[in-house]
Amino acid sequence: MIGAVDIGGTKIAVGVVDDHGKVLSKTQSPTDPDRYEAGIESIARMLHDGARQAGVQITGIGIGSTGPVDPMKGEFGDVDFLPGWRGRSPVRDLAERFKLRVALENDGDAAALAEAGWGAGRNRSRLIYVTVGTGIGGGIVLDGKLYRGVEGAHPEVGHHVVDPNGPQCSCGFRGCWESLAAGPAMAAWMESQAPADYPHRQGITAQRICELAQQGDAVALQAVEHEAFYLGLGLANLINLFAPDAIVLSGSVMKSAHLFLERIRKLIRSGCRFVPAEKTELMLASLGDDTNLIGAARVWHYRFGQQ
Ligand SMILES: [Zn+2]
């Protein structure tokens, strides 16, 4: 029974997850970006409450967090969303409190490990996990091992450039994949391109666009076409670079994957001729809204499970 901690920029979810990836209890609280000690206090309380609710004792703690994090030192790096947490070590602090082993990974890597171990990606040797929501993130698992870059760095699949004339992104580039294909990009495109008298423009979201497209709204269908093109370009790039067995798709935008997948597959067929792209499966994530929480638990198994 692993205590799972998913630290995001706006909320922290905590749960208890069994050895098959099943969530036995879960709860959440808002993240205070400036107060680390209060955050650890609240995580510890939620872990205690969660274990009591589930009627179990936790035997380890796994953490997935918005990044960057240093998984080996167990510390937060230069986390944009959590200025007060920079350089702090939740691994050390929770290990001291609970007298348990604690492991930390970037949340994209955590979710990739969960889908590879307990989800849609089981039995796929080379797997790329991609989540498309307010941003685009993910993780790469090769032959059961998490791919790590130099000094354990987490690769940023969302920030490869798709159009150098595209919108400015906080990563420093214009037109990276995230800036063109994440949910907010879809809404921004709609706001700038919809006709002046279009009634749904005000405060439109990616989710609303997908609902409207589903109802046959012509402008929304154009936005879907545009979104599918940019989603497809990024996925095609990943296929050309890695020729993976599978790409597992997750995130709020992918809840409407049926609107995009046919166009995406067509685009991939048109441009990935030098790799066996038809062998790369595009799969939908199977762990649902708890993927990140389950991923946090999987982080513990990945680090200590074999020992
Ligand atoms: Zn970027």
Side-chain angles (χ1 to χ4, degrees), residues 159 169 171 176:
H159 296 279
C169 176
C171 70
C176 64

Side-chain angles (χ1 to χ4, degrees), residues 9-263:
T10 57
K11 69 175 173 65
I12 299 174
V14 171
V16 173
V17 178
D18 76 7
D19 290 350
H20 305 285
K22 188 164 170 251
V23 177
L24 303 181
S25 73
K26 64 172 172 174
T27 173
Q28 66 177 61
S29 70
T31 314
D32 183 335
D34 300 312
R35 295 174 61 225
Y36 170 76
E37 274 89 7
I40 287 293
E41 200 64 50
S42 148
I43 289 168
R45 200 168 42 244
M46 287 192 283
L47 281 169
H48 282 302
D49 292 352
R52 196 169 45 239
Q53 260 174 41
V56 298
Q57 250 188 334
I58 56 172
T59 50
I61 298 169
I63 309 170
S65 176
T66 182
V69 299
D70 184 328
M72 292 313 151
K73 287 189 188 152
E75 290 174 1
F76 292 102
D78 201 2
V79 197
D80 267 2
F81 301 116
L82 307 169
W85 298 50
R86 285 177 191 155
R88 305 304 294 269
S89 173
V91 166
R92 196 189 48 228
D93 294 337
L94 290 174
E96 268 173 18
R97 272 172 190 259
F98 285 84
K99 311 290 177 221
L100 292 173
R101 289 183 297 182
V102 183
L104 165 74
E105 296 283 357
N106 169 281
D107 53 3
D109 285 337
L113 286 171
E115 285 292 341
W118 286 322
R122 256 174 307 182
N123 308 320
R124 303 300 189 289
S125 306
R126 292 146 293 241
L127 174 144
I128 303 178
Y129 170 83
V130 173
T131 174
V132 185
T134 52
I136 297 184
I140 301 169
V141 179
L142 301 174
D143 297 323
K145 289 258 185 258
L146 192 60
Y147 172 84
R148 297 186 197 281
V150 59
E151 291 191 340
H154 164 75
E156 290 291 345
V157 295
H159 296 279
H160 71 271
V161 173
V162 170
D163 175 1
N165 298 314
Q168 183 71 47
C169 176
S170 59
C171 70
F173 278 132
R174 302 187 78 92
C176 64
W177 193 22
E178 172 173 303
S179 76
L180 284 160
M186 199 177 175
W189 186 87
M190 189 75 161
E191 278 177 5
S192 68
Q193 300 297 317
D197 58 349
Y198 185 65
H200 309 292
R201 183 201 307 264
Q202 199 70 37
I204 193 117
T205 61
Q207 189 192 344
R208 181 77 185 118
I209 296 171
C210 291
E211 284 166 12
L212 288 164
Q214 193 68 45
Q215 295 157 17
D217 180 285
V219 184
L221 281 167
Q222 266 184 337
V224 162
E225 190 89 36
H226 183 263
E227 172 70 7
F229 176 69
Y230 283 107
L231 278 175
L233 280 184
L235 291 170
N237 286 341
L238 293 178
I239 291 173
N240 272 333
L241 287 168
F242 292 93
D245 295 86
I247 298 180
V248 178
L249 301 165
S250 175
S252 56
V253 173
M254 282 303 158
K255 287 191 172 155
S256 303
H258 62 283
L259 293 173
F260 309 116
L261 276 178
E262 207 33 62
R263 292 175 178 87

